[in-house]
Amino acid sequence: MSPVFPTVREVLDLVPVRNGAPRLVAGTAGLDRPVRWVHIAEVPDIATLLGGGELVLTTGIGLPGDDAGLREFISALADVGVSGLAVELGRRYVSGVPRVMAAAAERRGLPLIELRRGTPFVRITEAVHALIVDAQLTELRATEEIHQRFTELSVEGAEPAEVLRQAAELAGCPMVLENLSRQVLAYDPAGENAELLLDGWERHSRQIRPPGRTAYDPDSGWLVTTVGARGQDWGRLLLRWPATESTPPTRLTILIERAASTLALGRLIRRDAEGLERQIHRTLLTALIDHSRPVDEVALRAKALGVVLDRRHLVGVVVRHRADEPAGDAGTPDDEPAPARRGGRRDTDAEGPEAGPARLRDLAEAVSQAVRDAKLTALTSPLDDQAVGALLALPDPAAEEKALSAFAAALRRVRLDAAPAAPAAPAARPARPLEAPDRPAGRAVASASARPVDAPPRAAIVVAAGSGVGSLREARRSLIEARQVAEAARRDLRDLPCYRLPHVGLAGLLHLLRDEPRLQTFVERELGPLLAYDAQHPREQLLGTLRAYLEQGRNKSAGAAAAHLSRPAFYERLARIGRILDADLDSVDRCLSLHVALLALDAVRTP
């Protein structure tokens, strides 16, 4: 793919120029300069009328006769950014251009061409301008195709993988979508080796730091743009442009920005069809979470649906599956109960692309049925692609625990949730208290969430509740808290009827926030310089040294043993870490912040 403007080298290959028997006498280094226009000049002060990028044609009849004047003429052209100078021999210069002119052009890297045979300048002008116009038309058509393609993808709500596939197809270059912690979310190698493309990606990506939201990094050969919407950035989209080529053409900048916009828009779209009443429930719950409608209006519309929210004790509840994706094979999935029948239909038997939405609809129906069976009043609706929310309206705070127990029991009856579930992932090791330096490290405390080997299997769904609130204006806090608890409880080894905030540990809390850009920004702020250092010095990996030090309660002797290093070497590494992070590693507060950042980094890197 060529840039819009032809280069001096390409102009020399045009037939009208070849008819003039061109010979390059100076400025070989500038042959790849783009030619924006062709200008004919016969006066020595022409540079003041130029804007840069022109190929200047002259017979030389108006050029200075002295050496100093010729040097000044060449310098003026080079200063203004002229692409090249072509001099027709025969009128002013017969056998060749003056040596002083060639020497001055060579010093400035300005291509100087002799046309040894007379040729109409108008033919050269027409040929070059036709080449420019054709290239611009090609660029315009490509840009129009980009806009049309991505408009269709936006309307369809295409998945990130499809957006990157089509973008890579249009660009002919590999593309990668990453989050703020440099973890790859989607990619398309455009026919190249995917393993080579992604090998050591995080380390490589941290070295790609072009300025601005959209910019090209010539050192790495990547064109980069930030991905985000509504003022919240959540990733970067990168396009690899061959390092041997010139700067990427304008259409690729347009392409990557349109692709980023499509990705950001797709993240906001919800495509699941719902009934009118369920849509209103969802609208009202979303309004409470997003503050998109006045609470008085929400209360009024909810009352019209038969859900009275005024003067009630409100509790946010979120129900979700422990596993994100439905099984794609026949038979009972490991993370689902045996197929339940209600009204003659399996609880979940969908496969293929519709399996996820079908499973979510089934869960939403089960939650609504459980609310009715428990004789409760609530707004219920899916909150996202995985979770269903309910805002329970209770007569008084004393009814909270009884209502939650009744709801959880009714939901299990509705789901017939008694089949074995898949073994849970090992619980994250709890963070150890930060001890004083060189204090003997204590024995690790067993996780409070540990479950005996012979304990009954966990349910395939999680029920979580937020703190009860006394007004509709506070309902958002309860719903968001319930969503966070439900996400974190997925990896809890216990099987509680209803999870509450005290059941969630720090590691679980950070895991549920792993996609939050602010958490990723915190990790980058705390550990970014150290991660960048490790990326440039892969043999050292100081992050592991810091981890050993913090996990051993800031006990340097125990940390050295855990890192399999001598104490002097371990101390030297800690000193280097302190310099890189500009941190006092003897400070409890600073180490606490770094320890939380490490736990957050682990959460971000864990699928």
Side-chain angles (χ1 to χ4, degrees):
M1 292 179 288
S2 301
V4 173
F5 300 113
T7 63
V8 176
R9 191 188 307 275
E10 291 171 336
V11 168
L12 292 178
D13 286 335
L14 295 175
V15 173
V17 180
R18 292 205 308 268
N19 289 340
R23 183 168 73 93
L24 181 69
V25 296
T28 304
L31 283 177
D32 291 322
R33 292 180 178 179
V35 177
R36 184 179 59 83
W37 205 246
V38 177
H39 197 88
I40 302 172
E42 299 294 354
V43 292
D45 58 348
I46 189 61
T48 59
L49 304 177
L50 302 178
E54 297 90 353
L55 174 64
V56 177
L57 305 180
T58 183
T59 63
I61 57 176
L63 298 186
D66 59 306
D67 291 352
L70 289 175
R71 293 192 192 97
E72 184 178 352
F73 173 71
I74 293 296
S75 295
L77 293 180
D79 288 342
V80 81
V82 164
S83 298
L85 173 64
V87 181
E88 184 184 76
L89 304 182
R91 299 195 180 186
R92 175 70 182 275
Y93 308 118
V94 179
S95 58
V97 297
R99 292 182 179 178
V100 65
M101 181 186 290
E106 185 64 30
R107 280 195 303 271
R108 299 300 300 270
L110 178 68
L112 177 60
I113 301 111
E114 292 178 345
L115 298 176
R116 293 169 292 170
R117 186 186 307 133
T119 183
F121 283 173
V122 67
R123 299 286 185 268
I124 297 177
T125 301
E126 290 175 344
V128 174
H129 291 176
L131 196 64
I132 293 173
V133 170
D134 286 346
Q136 289 176 331
L137 286 175
T138 300
E139 192 82 356
L140 184 61
R141 294 189 190 99
T143 301
E144 178 63 26
E145 183 179 359
I146 289 170
H147 284 296
Q148 182 177 352
R149 186 82 63 93
F150 286 106
T151 297
E152 293 174 354
L153 291 172
S154 298
V155 172
E156 295 170 358
E159 296 294 327
E162 177 63 16
V163 174
L164 261 68
R165 185 190 70 78
Q166 297 213 28
E169 178 183 302
L170 289 171
C173 305
M175 300 193 71
V176 177
L177 174 65
E178 64 177 16
N179 63 16
L180 296 181
S181 291
R182 310 300 196 267
Q183 306 299 308
V184 176
L185 303 177
Y187 69 92
D188 191 294
E192 298 188 13
N193 188 303
E195 292 185 5
L196 293 178
L197 177 68
L198 301 180
D199 184 38
W201 176 258
E202 181 180 348
R203 174 176 56 84
H204 177 63
S205 174
R206 292 184 183 279
Q207 299 174 10
I208 305 172
R209 304 170 69 178
R213 289 187 66 85
T214 302
Y216 176 63
D217 182 11
D219 294 335
S220 62
W222 285 91
L223 177 63
V224 185
T225 192
T226 304
V227 184
R230 295 178 178 174
Q232 295 186 349
D233 299 333
W234 53 266
R236 297 198 308 174
L237 184 60
L238 301 94
L239 180 151
R240 191 173 71 188
W241 178 250
T244 57
E245 300 282 347
S246 58
T247 303
T250 304
R251 68 174 171 276
L252 288 190
T253 300
I254 295 174
L255 182 147
I256 196 172
E257 289 182 339
R258 282 303 310 270
S261 299
T262 302
L263 290 166
L265 180 61
R267 189 171 170 125
L268 304 176
I269 292 176
R270 295 292 180 265
R271 296 176 294 164
D272 194 21
E274 301 169 317
L276 180 58
E277 182 178 349
R278 189 59 52 212
Q279 288 183 27
I280 298 175
H281 275 243
R282 184 166 191 168
T283 298
L284 297 181
L285 280 180
T286 301
L288 289 174
I289 294 175
D290 297 343
H291 294 305
S292 57
R293 295 174 184 269
V295 292
D296 293 341
E297 180 184 342
V298 172
L300 184 62
R301 296 188 65 179
K303 186 176 181 180
L305 290 174
V307 181
V308 179
L309 300 177
D310 284 330
R311 300 183 181 87
R312 293 294 189 272
H313 183 71
L314 305 175
V315 182
V317 177
V318 170
V319 181
R320 63 158 300 140
H321 291 272
R322 288 190 185 270
D324 280 342
E325 299 297 335
D329 54 4
T332 303
D334 288 338
D335 65 327
E336 283 286 312
R341 293 185 177 273
R342 188 168 190 85
R345 186 172 58 85
R346 285 174 54 126
D347 177 61
T348 175
D349 56 1
E351 297 182 9
E354 297 301 320
R359 187 174 73 151
L360 186 64
R361 282 195 297 270
D362 288 344
L363 184 59
E365 292 173 5
V367 169
S368 297
Q369 184 63 42
V371 167
R372 291 190 292 270
D373 290 354
K375 296 180 172 53
L376 299 172
T377 300
L379 289 176
T380 63
S381 168
L383 298 179
D384 52 39
D385 291 341
Q386 305 295 340
V388 176
L391 182 63
L392 302 183
L394 308 176
D396 56 72
E400 182 176 315
E401 291 301 328
K402 182 179 179 180
L404 291 174
S405 297
F407 170 76
L411 181 62
R412 293 206 176 195
R413 288 195 301 270
V414 170
R415 302 248 328 149
L416 301 181
D417 202 355
R429 181 173 64 180
R432 302 181 58 162
L434 293 173
E435 304 169 3
D438 293 325
R439 181 182 299 171
R443 180 176 299 175
V445 180
S447 171
S449 64
R451 177 168 59 89
V453 176
D454 58 351
R458 297 178 302 157
I461 60 172
V462 170
V463 179
S467 302
V469 296
S471 71
L472 190 56
R473 296 184 186 278
E474 300 176 281
R476 177 180 185 273
R477 173 168 58 85
S478 184
L479 286 166
I480 290 179
E481 181 181 308
R483 177 189 280 179
Q484 293 174 340
V485 173
E487 177 67 23
R490 296 168 58 203
R491 286 162 178 78
D492 196 290
L493 296 180
R494 294 166 294 179
D495 187 13
L496 303 180
C498 182
Y499 287 85
R500 308 299 294 269
L501 190 58
H503 301 135
V504 180
L506 177 59
L509 180 63
L510 293 174
H511 182 82
L512 68 91
L513 295 174
R514 67 190 183 279
D515 293 327
E516 170 59 49
R518 284 173 292 186
L519 180 67
Q520 297 172 9
T521 300
F522 167 73
V523 172
E524 291 301 308
R525 184 176 65 248
E526 293 293 315
L527 299 175
L530 190 61
L531 293 171
Y533 181 90
D534 281 355
Q536 296 174 357
H537 306 82
R539 293 180 178 271
E540 297 186 40
Q541 294 302 305
L542 296 181
L543 188 71
T545 303
L546 178 62
R547 187 187 300 277
Y549 174 63
L550 296 177
E551 288 185 348
Q552 296 303 317
R554 297 192 302 124
N555 185 306
K556 296 179 181 178
S557 299
H564 305 291
L565 293 172
S566 66
R567 291 181 63 177
F570 189 75
Y571 294 166
E572 190 278 330
R573 284 193 170 202
L574 287 181
R576 199 180 324 155
I577 292 170
R579 291 193 298 271
I580 293 171
L581 296 178
D582 190 21
D584 179 7
L585 297 186
D586 290 329
S587 166
V588 174
D589 289 342
R590 191 70 176 92
C591 287
L592 175 61
S593 181
L594 291 173
H595 202 178
V596 173
L598 274 174
L599 292 174
L601 179 64
D602 292 340
V604 167
R605 287 177 169 176
T606 302

